[in-house]
Structure formats: structure tokens, C-alpha cells
Amino acid sequence: MSSFFEKKRNIAILGSTGSIGTQALEVIAEQQEHFEVSLLTARRNADLLIQQAIAFKPNTVVITEESLYDKVFDALDPHGIKVYAGNNALNSVVQMDEIDIVLTALVGYSGVIPTIKAIEAKKHIALANKETLVVAGEIITRLAEENGVSILPVDSEHSAIFQCLVGEEYNPIERIILTASGGPFRGKKAEELAHVTKAQALKHPNWDMGAKVTIDSASLMNKGLEVIEAKWLFDLHTDQIDVVVHPQSIVHSMVEFEDSSIKAQLGLPDMRVPIQYALGFPKRMKNKFPRFNFMDYPNLTFEQPDTKTFRNLQLAYAAIEKGGNMPCILNAANEIAVQAFLEDRIGFLNMSDLIEKCMQSGEFIAQPSLEDLINTDKVIRNLASELI
């Protein structure tokens, strides 16, 4: 075993069958001397969960869709792997003593409560679920500080910022610059987007992601959620967070300091890099990932985001400026809007209209408790569903 760590780090992966979860397991497979899998969880993909569990031999797995419990239990019990079902089980097992790091790769709001439970059990968090900080950023960051827990960002943009800040503890940030690919519809105007299909929206030019994140990227909501996440991760004001469109996705994000110097983190678009960095922090581990060649990208370009056409980014800025439960309202409305678009029930541009209506109609709470946020999420989902 390498001298990097005193012992192997025991990893829990929440959402192991999704895009981030499967890539995390690729990282762990290559770095077996450093990492061990303690817990795997999935919502409905029982077949892949079973395959992963047999390959990585975790102590425990959770399938949150309770009707699939028997299938998973029958497959894994002979291997001595504990099997549980349901969200309550998930919230409990993230607190297991043996776990060192919880990688939260769940989709959307579903990541909030398990992340809180893990923090309360003093588990370090590798955060790939940006909605957790969007919905409950103030509560999450306060809890992490109280429990001495690190939140290590996995999003490529926030990982880039995090990497740029290593060694800069005494140098205040003047601003950060989050890069956005622009998605599949970069440069298109509203009239061109009126009739785009989900198949077109799901064709991201650079990244291989799950459906929800890919649609968010196409609408620029993904970047809006990242603005809110960055505020809480790096303790910034919104006027310190800029967004630029960078179609090549090589510069993952930048930090500007008070002396006008800018640090950037570059590399090929490969989520395994920020996943490995978060799981292994503060060490960088040698790997066999593809290397970047400048000659393959002789032109790196940057442009302003079109917030008139892609209104979601501006709505996200408005939500975090308002504060309170408004980002929670934004997120709940967006999750319903994206699902409706994926089900061909609303058009691409209608997603922004629906989110804005919910932000205008939802009850604003300036200093929400966790219970307030849970209730806000339920109420706004119902409201959004009625408005479709």
C-alpha cells in the first residue's frame, strides 16, 4: 500500500449506478491500494447495482425502490453483503462507522437529507450533487463547520476553483470565473429553440452525463445551480461569481486574486479527474487517464452567455440574490420542468417560464429551517405540476 494514506479510505457512493457513480468506481478500480468501497446505493437500477456489489464487495448496499429489495437481497445475500431498501435505510447507513468519505452522486433534491445525515455523523463529503447546496447551502455549510467536516467539490468547475485555491489560504478571492460549454444549443436564438426535441437537448458536445444534468446544461440551469453552489462552497457574494462560455471545455474554471493574477485549471473533459482529486485529497495520484495535448486544441475561445435566450442562468442569480428559500423554489420548479420536458409535456423554452412563475408565486421565507425547505420543495413541486 502506498504511503499516501495511513490506511485505505472507505468510500460510500450514493447513486453508484449513475454517471458519476460508475466513473467513481472506475477510479477506485484503478486505485485499489488507496480506496475500498463500503456502501453502494441506487434508486432503481437493481441489475447494475448487483453487478457493482459483486465486483467491489461493499459491506452494504441500499436500493431505495423498495419493490426491488427481494431481487437485490437474493442476489447478494450469498456474497455476505447486507441489503437494505428505502430512503430511511439510506439515511441511516451513511452514518456507518467504517465510512470515511461519502460521495453524494444522487440526482437533484434527493441528495439533501442523506448528505445532512452523513455530515452529522462526521463523514467527509465528496459533493457531486450540487442541488444539496442550492437547496440548503446555509444549513449544510454550518453543519459541516460544526462537525469538522470537509466538503470536497466533485463538479469539474468547482473542483477547478478548489484546486486553484490550494496554497492561497491567505489571499482573498477577487472573483471566480465559471466556464460553461454552452451546451448543444450555443448560439441559437429563441425562435430556433421553440421546437427542439429532447433527443437534440440530450446531445451534449463535450460531456457524458445523466439526462437531468444534460438538460440543465442545455438550458444553462446547470451553470445557474453552479453559481449558487459556488457561493456556499467558497463563501462568496454573487457579484464575485462570473460565467463565461468556453465551448472547448478545456479550461474548467478560474480564480482572480486581488493582484489581478488569474489561476486556471485545465484538462480534457473527464469527470474521473475531479472525482479522484476529491477522494484522494490532498494527494494527487498517478493514473492512466488520457493526457491533454495543446496541439489538439490550438484555439481556446470565450464568450458571454446569452441570458436573454437562456433565461435560467439569470433566474438562478435572482434566486441567490433573494436568498432564503428562493433557491429551493428554483430547484424544485426546475426538477419538475426538466421531467416534463423529458416526457414531451412542455417545450424547451417553457421550462424557464414555469420556473419564473413558481418563483413569483411561491411563498418566500427569509430564514428557512430545514423543515421549511422540505415543505417548500413539496409545495413547489405540486404548484409546478399544476401549472404545466
Side-chain angles (χ1 to χ4, degrees), residues 192-265:
E192 299 175 87
L193 297 175
H195 302 293
V196 298
T197 65
K198 65 182 179 186
Q200 293 171 310
L202 287 169
K203 289 181 180 177
H204 195 281
N206 300 330
W207 295 95
D208 180 16
M209 306 175 291
K212 197 266 182 184
V213 180
T214 305
I215 299 301
D216 280 346
S217 179
S219 71
L220 284 194
M221 179 56 86
N222 195 48
K223 208 53 49 180
L225 299 179
E226 288 174 7
V227 167
I228 300 173
E229 183 182 7
K231 172 197 164 43
W232 296 113
L233 278 173
F234 306 114
D235 191 23
L236 300 171
H237 299 293
T238 50
D239 61 5
Q240 292 176 282
I241 308 170
D242 287 346
V243 172
V244 299
V245 173
H246 168 51
Q248 297 81 22
S249 296
I250 297 301
V251 178
H252 296 307
S253 279
M254 297 166 269
V255 179
E256 184 172 24
F257 296 96
E258 292 183 327
D259 64 351
S260 79
S261 292
I262 296 177
K263 287 173 73 172
Q265 189 263 333

Side-chain angles (χ1 to χ4, degrees), residues 68-222:
L68 295 169
Y69 170 78
D70 288 342
K71 178 177 182 176
V72 179
F73 177 84
D74 291 344
L76 297 183
D77 184 58
H79 296 271
I81 297 170
K82 298 172 187 171
V83 179
Y84 300 97
N87 287 314
N88 289 337
L90 173 60
N91 295 336
S92 177
V93 297
V94 294
Q95 301 185 317
M96 291 192 305
D97 289 342
E98 68 185 66
I99 294 172
D100 298 310
I101 300 176
V102 175
L103 171 59
T104 58
L106 299 169
V107 176
Y109 174 83
S110 62
V112 175
I113 302 302
T115 302
I116 288 174
K117 295 298 182 183
I119 291 172
E120 289 175 343
K122 303 188 186 306
K123 310 300 181 186
H124 296 297
I125 306 297
L127 188 67
N129 172 259
K130 60 180 66 67
E131 291 88 351
T132 292
L133 287 181
V134 170
V135 170
E138 188 170 3
I139 291 171
I140 295 284
T141 51
R142 185 178 68 245
L143 267 179
E145 186 174 354
E146 289 172 356
N147 286 282
V149 165
S150 297
I151 299 179
L152 303 159
V154 171
D155 270 346
S156 62
E157 296 83 359
H158 300 96
S159 177
I161 300 298
F162 185 65
Q163 292 180 55
C164 289
L165 292 175
V166 172
E168 301 283 1
E169 290 78 7
Y170 302 104
N171 295 315
I173 298 171
E174 184 161 299
R175 66 171 174 148
I176 66 171
I177 304 151
L178 298 173
T179 55
S181 70
F185 303 136
R186 179 177 65 89
K188 295 189 180 300
K189 298 302 179 184
E191 55 271 19
E192 299 175 87
L193 297 175
H195 302 293
V196 298
T197 65
K198 65 182 179 186
Q200 293 171 310
L202 287 169
K203 289 181 180 177
H204 195 281
N206 300 330
W207 295 95
D208 180 16
M209 306 175 291
K212 197 266 182 184
V213 180
T214 305
I215 299 301
D216 280 346
S217 179
S219 71
L220 284 194
M221 179 56 86
N222 195 48

Side-chain angles (χ1 to χ4, degrees), residues 372-386:
D372 290 330
L373 294 173
I374 292 170
N375 185 60
T376 294
D377 180 77
K378 289 178 181 175
V379 169
I380 296 303
R381 284 173 190 274
N382 289 334
L383 173 63
S385 297
E386 291 169 1

